[in-house]
Amino acid sequence: MTLSPARAPGTGPGSGPAVRRLTATLYGYAFLDDFVLLYPVYALLFSDTGLTVWQISSLFCLWALTGVLLEIPSGAWADAVSRRLLLWFGPLLTAAGFTLWVLAPSYWAFALGFVLWGAKGALGSGALEALVYEELDRLGAADRYAAVMGRARAAGLVAVMAAIPLAGPVYAFGGYPAVGLASVLACLLTAATATRFPEHREPADGPGEVRGDGPGEGLDDGSGDAPGGGWTRTLRAGLAEARGDRSVRGALLLVPAVTAVWGALDEYTPLLVRDTGVAESAVPNWLLLIWAGATVGGLLAGVGRRLGAGGFAGLLAVSAVALAAGAWVRTPAGIGLVALSFCGFQLASVLADARLQDRIGGTGRATLTSVAGVGTDLTTIAVYGAYGVIGSATTHGAAFALFAAPYLVTAVLLAAFGKGAARKGTAGKKAARAARTSGSRARQ
C-alpha cells in the first residue's frame, strides 16, 4: 500500500472552497453528461430509419461490447496519464457520434456512433471515481466520497428526468436534427465542464505532485514513466493488488453483484409498468416515480455510509423483497414498492463503490475501478440474455420478482462473512489482551 498524495499547503479538512469547487464541477458534469434529449427518442430514430428489431438489438450489444473491451485498458491509461484529460475527451466522442446519427442516419452510422459512445463510457469509468476520491483524500475529505458520488448520481438522474419532457417539444419544433443538436451541445458543455476538475497527481516513482490547469497539462502521454509509470505498468500493479489483497477482491466482486441486476432491469421498467394496466400515456409518469426513488437513494449515501456489513446486507434484503413484492402484484400501487427497491439498490451501489475506493491503496485506482466496471458490464449482458428467455416465458412482473433472488443470496453471503469477520476481530482482541497480560506477568 502506498501513501496518499501529500496535501498541498493550505489544504485539509478545513479547505471548504477547494472541496466546493470539486463537488460543484462534479455535479455539473454529471448533470450535463445525462442531459441528452436523444435518450428518449433514439430507439424511435432507429425504427424510423428502417432498422429491424434484430438490428436495434445488435446495436445495443455492440455498445456493451465496446465498453467491455476498452474498460480495463482505459482505466490503466487513466492511472498513467491525466484522468481529467479522459473526462474531457470522452464527451467529444459522443458528440461526434450523435452528429453522425442525425446527419447520415443508417445502420453503420448508428453502429459507429455506439462504438464512440461506448468508448466514451470506458474512458470515464474508473477515471471519474479515481479523480474524485483522490482529490477528496488530498483535501482531508475522503470520508465524504460516498455522499458526494451519491449526489452526483442523483444529479444525473435529475438530468434524465428533465430531458424526457423536453425532448417532445424540441422534436416537434425541429425533428431529429433539433434533438440531435441539443444533445451535441450538452456533450460539448460536459467536455468544457471537465476542464474545471482539479487534478493533483503523485508519480509512483517518487514524491511530489504533478499539477496541471488544462485538460492534460503537466502530465505525460502514457508512453513512458508518467504518473503511475506507464499504462502497462499501472495495469499490472492494479491487478497485482487485487490478487494480493482479499479485501480488495471482495470489494471488486461486490460492485457488479450489487449494481448489474437492477441496472439491467431498469431497461425493462416501461414494460413492467405497462403490464400493470395503466394507459400508455401514463407510463412515463410512473417511470418518473421509479427514477425519483433511485435519485433519493443517491442522496442518502452520506447517511448510508455508516452501515456495517450487517446493515448493508439488510439493505439489500429489504430492497429485494420490495422489488419482488412490487413486481409480483402487477398493480400501479406495486410500482411504488419497485421505486422503493430502486432507492435501496442505488444507495447500495454507491456504497459498494465507496467501499472499493476505501480499500484500494496502490496507484492503480482507476484500473481496479475499471475491473469492477467490466464485471458489471459482463453481468449486465448476462442479465439481458436471461431476461430475454425468462421474460418470453412468463410475465414481466414474474421476471422482475425472480431477479430479486440474486440480491437475497448476496445479502446472506454478506451477513455470513460479516459475522465471520466480527468473530475474527473479537478473537484477535482477546489474543492481544492475553499477550499483554502475559507480558505484564513476566515483567513482574
Side-chain angles (χ1 to χ4, degrees), residues 229-317:
W231 82 269
T232 55
R233 190 192 305 184
T234 61
L235 175 60
R236 292 193 299 268
L239 296 178
E241 182 176 359
R243 288 194 300 269
D245 192 325
R246 181 183 300 176
S247 66
V248 172
R249 289 199 304 273
L252 281 173
L253 293 173
L254 184 62
V255 170
V258 170
T259 306
V261 175
W262 81 274
L265 292 179
D266 178 55
E267 302 294 337
Y268 302 96
T269 50
L271 302 175
L272 175 70
V273 172
R274 188 175 61 182
D275 270 8
T276 64
V278 303
E280 292 277 352
S281 59
V283 170
N285 296 329
W286 290 100
L287 292 179
L288 287 175
L289 175 63
I290 294 176
W291 289 323
T295 302
V296 172
L299 295 175
L300 291 175
V303 178
R305 186 174 174 83
R306 303 168 188 169
L307 293 175
F312 192 90
L315 173 65
L316 287 181

Side-chain angles (χ1 to χ4, degrees), residues 13-255:
S15 302
V19 173
R20 285 195 294 272
R21 177 194 170 185
L22 171 64
T23 55
T25 303
L26 173 64
Y27 301 154
Y29 183 89
F31 181 90
L32 291 169
D33 193 39
D34 279 323
F35 189 64
V36 178
L37 270 62
L38 271 171
Y39 280 166
V41 300
Y42 66 69
L44 300 178
L45 171 62
F46 301 158
S47 180
D48 290 346
T49 305
L51 269 61
T52 65
V53 174
W54 179 88
Q55 287 176 313
I56 295 174
S57 298
S58 69
L59 291 175
F60 291 150
C61 290
L62 179 63
W63 187 16
L65 184 61
T66 302
V68 169
L69 293 177
L70 297 180
E71 184 91 27
I72 294 178
S74 66
W77 191 25
D79 282 328
V81 298
S82 168
R83 293 158 182 167
R84 179 175 55 202
L85 173 64
L86 271 60
L87 296 175
W88 165 78
F89 183 63
L92 299 181
L93 295 179
T94 312
F98 290 163
T99 301
L100 192 62
W101 283 6
V102 295
L103 292 183
S106 66
Y107 177 82
W108 293 110
F110 297 145
L112 179 56
F114 269 123
V115 169
L116 293 173
W117 199 351
K120 176 265 177 187
L123 290 176
S125 176
L128 180 65
E129 293 86 350
L131 184 150
V132 173
Y133 187 90
E134 291 188 357
E135 286 300 312
L136 286 174
D137 186 44
R138 187 182 69 88
L139 297 170
D143 59 337
R144 295 177 55 181
Y145 174 81
V148 167
M149 291 305 293
R151 292 173 189 146
R153 295 197 186 190
L157 289 170
V158 169
V160 172
M161 291 188 286
I164 290 174
L166 282 175
V170 173
Y171 177 81
F173 173 77
Y176 292 120
V179 175
L181 175 61
S183 301
V184 169
L185 289 176
C187 293
L188 297 178
L189 288 173
T190 305
T193 303
T195 65
R196 297 293 303 160
F197 276 117
E199 183 173 25
H200 301 77
R201 300 287 301 283
E202 179 182 354
D205 297 331
E209 294 183 339
V210 178
R211 300 171 181 263
D213 294 327
E217 185 179 342
L219 292 166
D220 194 87
D221 63 0
S223 59
D225 290 334
W231 82 269
T232 55
R233 190 192 305 184
T234 61
L235 175 60
R236 292 193 299 268
L239 296 178
E241 182 176 359
R243 288 194 300 269
D245 192 325
R246 181 183 300 176
S247 66
V248 172
R249 289 199 304 273
L252 281 173
L253 293 173
L254 184 62
V255 170

